Amino acid sequence: MTSSMTIERLRSLSGIKPTGQPHWGNYFGMIRPALELAVDHQAMYFIADYHALTSVKDPKALRQDSLGIAATMLACGLDPAQTLLWRQSDVPQVLELTWVLSCATSLGLLERAHSVKDARSKDKDLNHGVYTYPVLMAADILLYDTDVVPVGRDQRQHLEMARDMATFVNVAWLGHAAGGTVDDNARWDNKSLKLPRALVRAEVAVVPGLDGQKMSKSYGNSIAVFAPAKELKQRVMAIVTDSAPLELPKNPDTCNVFALYKLFATADQLGQLRANYAGGNYGYGHAKLALLALAEAHFAPLRERYQQLIAKPDDLEDILRDGAQRARAIAAPVVDRIRSAVGLPAHPQWPA
Ligand code: ADP
Ligand code: TRP
């Protein structure tokens, strides 16, 4: 930049759990928007391995999936020279902030979390980690004075909770007026916790899975971003449709294949498919093949890059180590600031 004034870029941060293969919902809902933000934001993305521990009890899988997420982000275009990429657990300061936030979080707030309600209703393991998940997630975000958090719609509530926790800390310990006046980043005072904003893209807020429900690893309805060609075809062919006969016109706006096609198609391609649906004599099998062609063209080069990256785990580790070091340098003064605000002594040595 030639201007004598430095314009501060907003900070964008997000995390993804290493709990299996990333799928189209992760890619369109979070990964791609996050990487697009990296163009004009200070972007920081991490692998949420502490979070994954709530459900993953297989250390080998956790290690492998963590590297898998790193390779995925890089294959999708993350430039590690510009964008920080690290493993959450390499910045232990996050646990310190988690504790302070825990003391600022009522049980009532945690009880309202969708993640807790979901675990209860499905009889999942409701361990303490699941219960306090939103607190750790808030710490992930607040630890880096984050401005925006690109996520899918399912994470919106967690962002609201992070803002509630930050506001509580700012009011209880930093003397901010109750009612929240620190929303405006321009007036942020560099001492308090910054209130983050969720960035949810409407067109990809909820990517549907094969059955039309939200695509999710845990629903068995997902298509992996790097599925090999054969698996990709099987998954696309398994998308659920109604049983309208071939010759009849079909409604694209209620069709799952069409909804997924939209993710890849240009306006012209979408218009053409819409016309094919309206015209009749066009079956869901045809639409699935059209979707498959676009998906394969989109993901094949990324898949190849992913294979090259995952074959070199030491290089991935180097990138993560470097990212963690840079992340710790941002986190350490924030934790020190908050320790001081709440009356704890200056910190002993953090790993630098
Ligand atoms: P999953 O629900 O499959 O376990 P994660 O919780 O790991 O996925 O989600 C990682 C990121 O991807 C989050 O930002 C989440 O909002 C986003 N995401 C997950 N599934 C979808 C989806 N179906 N549509 C849009 N975004 C999604
Ligand atoms: N909870 C998010 C998910 O399930 C992952 C996550 C953890 C996250 N910490 C975060 C996302 C901080 C954004 C910011 O997908």
Side-chain angles (χ1 to χ4, degrees), residues 249-296:
K250 299 175 180 64
N251 182 358
D253 297 318
T254 55
C255 176
N256 215 6
V257 183
F258 191 82
L260 291 169
Y261 187 83
K262 249 189 219 165
L263 299 169
F264 299 93
T266 61
D268 281 356
Q269 288 168 325
L270 206 59
Q272 181 60 55
L273 191 65
R274 194 173 272 286
N276 289 343
Y277 270 61
N281 278 322
Y282 187 85
Y284 292 120
H286 297 124
K288 287 178 180 178
L289 288 177
L291 167 62
L292 181 63
L294 288 196
E296 178 61 21

Side-chain angles (χ1 to χ4, degrees), residues 32-97:
R32 206 163 68 161
L35 294 178
E36 284 171 10
L37 283 177
V39 174
D40 56 359
H41 285 64
Q42 185 187 0
M44 314 184 47
Y45 302 125
F46 67 92
I47 301 155
D49 55 352
Y50 280 144
H51 282 280
L53 282 179
T54 60
S55 58
V56 178
K57 304 294 187 276
D58 175 348
K60 199 165 153 219
L62 186 64
R63 280 185 212 110
Q64 260 168 9
D65 285 345
S66 296
L67 288 182
I69 297 288
T72 300
M73 297 297 286
L74 293 162
C76 293
L78 185 145
D79 171 4
Q82 297 291 332
T83 299
L84 272 61
L85 177 67
W86 76 100
R87 233 184 319 235
Q88 181 187 28
S89 63
D90 282 335
V91 185
Q93 285 91 335
V94 75
L95 297 181
E96 167 117 14
L97 185 56

